[in-house]
Amino acid sequence: MDLRSRLADIDARISDAARSAGRDPSGITRIVVTKFHPVELVQELAGLGVTDVGENRQQELSAKRETYDGVPLRWHFIGQAQTNKAKAVRRDADAVHSLDRARLADALHAARPDDDGDRLDVLIQVNLTEDPGRGGVAPSGVTELAEHIAATCPSLRLRGIMAVAPLDEEPAPAFARLATYADRIRTVVPDADWISAGMTGDFAEAIAAGATHLRIGSAITGPRPVHG
Ligand SMILES: *Cc1c(COP(=O)(O)O)cnc(C)c1O
């Protein structure tokens, strides 16, 4: 299958999963994760009507974004961000899914504190495992981080929650927990209703659990090139 067919196939499967869950497929944003792929792939995807792309490294995000300056794409940053990269992430991302600590929120805000006309969309990444190395705030810290962002980072717009499914657990129960953590964020910011969950292997389960933003890479792009 070529890129166009893989994209159409995934979109059909997204629609099927939405309908089985009694949901309207138009309420789901499909982000194509282009990390590690050559910059030309983004052009091809844009030509096929893709509007939302995802990257997990700041340098790659910045390089690709610069190449497509003027192309109407939304760039989603989905990787672990070092605080010292916050300025570049703020400049080049339209949404940051991987906000997992107050210090990073502060750094993203400090990069453009007066920007209330163009607030940065952010999602709190929650860790669904016991392994701190997997990234994300522990579930017990979700509410406090949401309160911190809402109270002290006015140039950030808290939109919702993000998670990656554990490797050693079925995705459905993990995504069910995620939905309860999403509720915690809405007690702080009532309209923060984005749930970013679901990758190539588990997007149907994520849709069943209420995901609004899917981050799909290899099923659309093909296998990622080996990266040094
Ligand atoms: C790479 C990546 C994805 C996409 O993974 P696939 O399995 O290729 O669909 C989604 N989310 C995050 C955070 C990623 O790093």
Side-chain angles (χ1 to χ4, degrees), residues 2 8 66 68 72 78 84 88 107 139 142 148 155 181 188 200 202 218-219:
D2 63 5
E66 192 179 5
Y68 295 107
I78 62 171
N84 64 4
V142 166
H148 177 87
S155 76
Y181 308 145
V188 181
T200 287
D202 55 26
S218 43

Side-chain angles (χ1 to χ4, degrees), residues 58 77 81-93 96 101 103-112 120:
Q58 175 270 317
F77 186 71
Q82 292 164 266
T83 308
N84 64 4
K85 303 282 177 64
K87 211 171 186 158
V89 170
R90 173 95 208 217
R91 186 187 62 220
D92 293 323
V96 173
R101 57 198 191 279
R103 248 167 58 82
L104 179 59
D106 294 343
L108 288 168
H109 172 61
R112 233 186 261 176
L120 176 68

Side-chain angles (χ1 to χ4, degrees), residues 15-159:
S15 293
D16 286 348
R19 282 191 209 96
S20 320
R23 299 185 53 201
D24 180 352
S26 71
I28 296 171
T29 301
R30 178 255 298 121
I31 298 162
V32 182
V33 177
T34 49
K35 67 186 186 198
F36 303 178
H37 284 282
V39 66
E40 292 75 22
L41 178 70
V42 178
Q43 184 72 58
E44 263 187 272
L45 287 165
L48 295 170
V50 168
T51 53
D52 290 81
V53 289
E55 286 289 334
N56 74 334
R57 295 180 181 198
Q58 175 270 317
Q59 276 168 316
E60 199 174 339
L61 165 77
S62 294
K64 286 179 177 167
R65 170 137 208 174
E66 192 179 5
T67 307
Y68 295 107
D69 205 23
V71 180
L73 287 165
R74 282 184 56 82
W75 294 86
H76 298 259
F77 186 71
I78 62 171
Q80 294 190 27
Q82 292 164 266
T83 308
N84 64 4
K85 303 282 177 64
K87 211 171 186 158
V89 170
R90 173 95 208 217
R91 186 187 62 220
D92 293 323
D94 297 294
V96 173
H97 292 232
S98 41
L99 184 45
D100 61 358
R101 57 198 191 279
R103 248 167 58 82
L104 179 59
D106 294 343
L108 288 168
H109 172 61
R112 233 186 261 176
D114 303 321
D115 208 347
D116 8 278
D118 187 21
R119 293 155 80 204
L120 176 68
D121 288 334
V122 297
L123 295 89
I124 291 179
Q125 182 178 356
V126 63
N127 189 347
L128 298 176
T129 76
E130 303 290 323
D131 174 5
R134 297 266 291 158
V137 64
S140 60
V142 166
T143 306
E144 192 183 336
L145 182 53
E147 285 167 346
H148 177 87
I149 296 164
T152 67
C153 303
S155 76
L156 307 183
R157 180 170 181 197
L158 182 56
R159 301 306 298 252

Side-chain angles (χ1 to χ4, degrees), residues 23 123-124 142-147 150 158-162 176-196 209-212:
R23 299 185 53 201
L123 295 89
I124 291 179
V142 166
T143 306
E144 192 183 336
L145 182 53
E147 285 167 346
L158 182 56
R159 301 306 298 252
I161 200 156
M162 178 275 224
R177 292 201 299 282
L178 178 64
T180 71
Y181 308 145
D183 292 342
R184 293 181 190 175
I185 294 185
R186 283 199 302 274
T187 65
V188 181
V189 178
D191 69 351
D193 58 2
W194 294 11
I195 299 179
S196 167
T212 61

